[in-house]
Amino acid sequence: MTRIVLSLVLLIVPLCMCAQKKELAQAKDMIKKGATLDKAEQLMYNLLKDSTHRDNEKIWLTLFEAQKKTYDQGNEKLYLKQAYDTAALFFAAKRMFQTMEGLDSVDMKPDKHGKMKLVHRKKHANMLHLYRRNIFNGGTFFINKGKYKEAYEFFDLYVDCGRQPLFSEYRYNETDDRIPEAAYWAVYCGYKMADTKATLHHTYMALKDTAHYKYMLQYLAETYKREKDNTRYMDVLEEGFKKYPLFPFFFPRLLEYYSGQREWKKALDLCDRALAQDSTSLVFRFSKTSVLLNMHQYDACIGLCDELIASCDSLYGAYLNAGLAYYNQGVELDKALNQSADQRKQVRAYYSKALPYLTKYRKSNPDAIKLWGLPLYTIYLNLNMGKEFDEMEKLLK
């Protein structure tokens, strides 16, 4: 039985070798003719699917020849301004790199004496170095098309050359100034795809791209937030705000977080730090009024709101905050037991001062009844404004 099995094996091996030689010959003929190059590639890919063929350098080299021929034909057509699919040219370049990196892994294998000869590396590295800029250009091409998955693959390949043994002599991580930029665009593509792994994969290198650093921090912050990693989310926001206080992304999200946690002292400190950078900013000044309102620092809130209204009377949020600052003081005083006549008079005074602000805000935001409805209801009731009170009561119902 053992002899029969062995005989079958010995028969199969020559048959496989014959099939392999036939397909190699077919592919080479196609390459020579410059026709059906896609079929030539597929023949070689099919051979490489069989693990027994993966160390066969002839298959890898023939595959590369088919890809290079495809690339050269496309490049010539573009040069002559003939119709050609530009994307196909970039894809051919990408496959060339992947194939040569695959062959290099075969080239690196030690011989029976344990020595590594590296027959092909230098020649192929020098050859691909000339094409490498088109890997970067391919990424840019697909970003402009909104095809972020494809763009990511190109930028990822471009950056990955820096760690590939095939290109070790070029020391790309030390000599290529475009690697950090390519890493940034890879992060950008990962972010656009909402792919956390792709976004974070090249973070270290991308943060070396100083031209896009603030955007990097933005993408990282949003990624950490999506992953519910609040510690890293806040660390990135804080770093971003310290370095780029006027960039519109970091301040509002820090303020939103502190407000949501009711950490009003931190929120106030944030506003003051922002105002130290731009004391005229309507965003920073208005944000501070909201914080002061929540901290019950009503006089400071009203004073700042009045300043904002004087400089920009269409900033209607300032009318709301000032009105609520007066209203809240009236409500707090109205809670007192056994009110004196003077206290009662003061309550009405607060409500009277709140009224014009809240009325102005209501006119500008008629649908925001949840903000002005109850305060105006209370004010109309306490100021004996029967007609307005009846109207408000119907609206609230």
Side-chain angles (χ1 to χ4, degrees), residues 7-257:
S7 298
L8 288 172
V9 170
L10 291 172
L11 284 170
I12 290 170
V13 171
L15 287 173
C16 290
M17 292 179 65
C18 288
Q20 174 187 312
K21 288 181 179 180
K22 180 181 177 182
E23 289 170 340
L24 275 167
Q26 288 177 336
K28 286 183 177 295
D29 186 55
M30 293 174 185
I31 294 167
K32 185 177 180 180
K33 293 177 179 177
T36 58
L37 293 170
D38 55 334
K39 291 184 179 179
E41 280 194 60
Q42 194 57 55
L43 283 172
M44 297 302 97
Y45 280 130
N46 289 339
L47 286 176
L48 290 172
K49 286 178 183 178
D50 187 338
S51 59
T52 61
H53 296 150
R54 286 179 197 153
D55 287 348
N56 189 325
E57 294 179 356
K58 290 182 180 179
I59 298 174
W60 289 100
L61 290 169
T62 303
L63 175 60
F64 178 76
E65 287 175 25
Q67 293 163 342
K68 186 175 182 300
K69 189 81 169 185
T70 300
Y71 180 91
D72 290 342
Q73 286 181 351
N75 197 41
E76 182 179 2
K77 287 182 178 181
L78 289 176
Y79 179 77
L80 296 174
K81 297 183 179 180
Q82 297 175 359
Y84 188 75
D85 183 1
T86 306
L89 179 74
F90 289 127
F91 280 128
K94 181 161 75 81
R95 295 196 303 276
M96 286 163 57
F97 274 74
Q98 292 168 333
T99 297
M100 286 295 93
E101 288 172 4
L103 175 57
D104 190 63
S105 66
V106 175
D107 201 21
M108 287 171 62
K109 290 185 177 181
D111 61 20
K112 61 183 179 181
H113 302 294
K115 294 183 178 181
M116 186 168 60
K117 294 182 179 179
L118 294 176
V119 176
H120 304 287
R121 176 174 291 179
K122 187 169 184 178
K123 175 185 175 182
H124 292 156
N126 291 342
M127 184 190 305
L128 290 180
H129 179 72
L130 301 175
Y131 295 97
R132 187 164 171 264
R133 63 180 179 180
N134 267 347
I135 300 300
F136 189 100
N137 293 339
T140 303
F141 174 83
F142 285 110
I143 276 187
N144 291 334
K145 298 288 184 181
K147 295 184 176 181
Y148 300 112
K149 179 179 180 297
E150 291 83 355
Y152 176 83
E153 291 172 358
F154 278 86
F155 288 121
D156 178 57
L157 179 61
Y158 188 90
V159 176
D160 190 59
C161 288
R163 72 166 192 84
Q164 284 290 336
L166 175 60
F167 301 107
S168 56
E169 285 193 14
Y170 281 96
R171 297 181 294 109
Y172 284 134
N173 285 340
E174 301 168 35
T175 61
D176 184 358
D177 294 337
R178 299 197 82 179
I179 280 189
E181 184 184 356
Y184 163 76
W185 288 117
V187 170
Y188 172 78
C189 292
Y191 164 76
K192 294 294 285 187
M193 293 188 291
D195 184 333
T196 299
K197 183 178 179 180
T199 304
L200 300 179
H201 184 55
H202 292 298
T203 297
Y204 174 77
M205 187 62 72
L207 287 170
K208 295 182 179 182
D209 179 23
T210 56
H212 296 101
Y213 195 86
K214 58 188 174 185
Y215 300 107
M216 267 298 302
L217 295 179
Q218 175 181 336
Y219 305 147
L220 289 177
E222 294 190 358
T223 300
Y224 290 140
K225 184 179 182 180
R226 187 167 56 243
E227 293 297 300
K228 298 181 180 179
D229 188 340
N230 284 335
T231 299
R232 288 183 177 177
Y233 174 65
M234 290 301 294
D235 286 345
V236 172
L237 288 181
E238 280 289 355
E239 180 185 356
F241 179 72
K242 286 177 183 176
K243 291 183 177 178
Y244 309 101
L246 303 183
F247 187 63
F249 178 82
F250 304 109
F251 173 81
R253 284 159 183 80
L254 280 170
L255 186 64
E256 178 185 37
Y257 182 84

